[in-house]
């Protein structure tokens, strides 16, 4: 059995992996987000970077939605209730809904939506919604345990200079 301290260290380690994957997404020219779904034994079921950057990316292919959908294809609902989705940023309403509908029982996120909003500003590629994932999850019949924000400064790094870029040039 894991202790609260062990669980916290595990959470931080998986969040750091998600943050590192968000850098890979940015380096691919995608929005800097990533998510990992981990089973109750600490084994990674799936990890995904963001693939929703217009014009060539599907705008619904957020990392969290893609990871949750793939986890649901790979594991039965009974296993996902004990799984955790680790994500570099607080899931949006769409992604929180995907976590809920796939049955994943826990979300741990790094960067809060509020902090993300200060980083993206009015960038049209991230018309963020001021709707916390806890509020979305609280409306469902099935509980979703939510932990975060954690490691916000680390999670903010990949976003610095990315938003409001034009013609492939990143601003500082």
């Amino acid at each position: 059995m894991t202790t609260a301290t062990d669980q916290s260290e595990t959470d931080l380690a998986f969040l750091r992996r998600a943050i590192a994957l968000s850098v890979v997404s940015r380096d691919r020219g995608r929005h800097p987000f990533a998510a990992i779904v981990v089973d109750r034994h600490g084994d990674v079921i799936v990890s995904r970077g963001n693939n929703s950057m217009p014009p060539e990316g599907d705008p619904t292919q957020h990392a969290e939605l893609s990871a949750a959908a793939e986890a649901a294809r790979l594991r039965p609902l009974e296993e996902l209730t004990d799984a955790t989705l680790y994500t570099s940023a607080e899931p949006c309403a769409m992604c929180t809904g995907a976590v809920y509908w796939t049955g994943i029982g826990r979300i741990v996120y790094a960067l809060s939506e509020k902090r993300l909003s200060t980083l993206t500003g009015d960038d049209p590629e991230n018309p963020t919604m001021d709707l916390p994932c806890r509020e979305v999850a609280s409306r469902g019949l099935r509980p979703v345990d939510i932990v975060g924000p954690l490691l916000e400064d680390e999670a903010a790094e990949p976003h610095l200079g990315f938003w409001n870029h034009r013609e492939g040039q990143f601003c500082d």
Side-chain angles (χ1 to χ4, degrees), residues 32-48:
F33 301 103
I36 303 169
V37 180
V38 177
D39 69 18
R40 69 175 168 199
H41 304 292
D43 296 323
V44 174
I45 299 171
V46 64
S47 61
R48 290 285 185 267

Side-chain angles (χ1 to χ4, degrees), residues 31-103:
H31 295 162
F33 301 103
I36 303 169
V37 180
V38 177
D39 69 18
R40 69 175 168 199
H41 304 292
D43 296 323
V44 174
I45 299 171
V46 64
S47 61
R48 290 285 185 267
N50 204 31
N51 195 34
S52 66
M53 187 171 163
E56 65 276 356
D58 177 343
T60 66
Q61 291 305 297
H62 292 189
E64 300 89 349
L65 185 147
S66 296
E70 183 65 14
R73 284 189 284 277
L74 296 172
R75 300 285 177 92
L77 176 64
E78 301 79 38
E79 288 184 33
L80 292 180
T81 59
D82 293 326
T84 300
L85 180 126
Y86 292 94
T87 178
S88 60
E90 182 173 357
C92 70
M94 175 182 70
C95 292
T96 303
V99 168
Y100 175 81
W101 285 109
T102 58

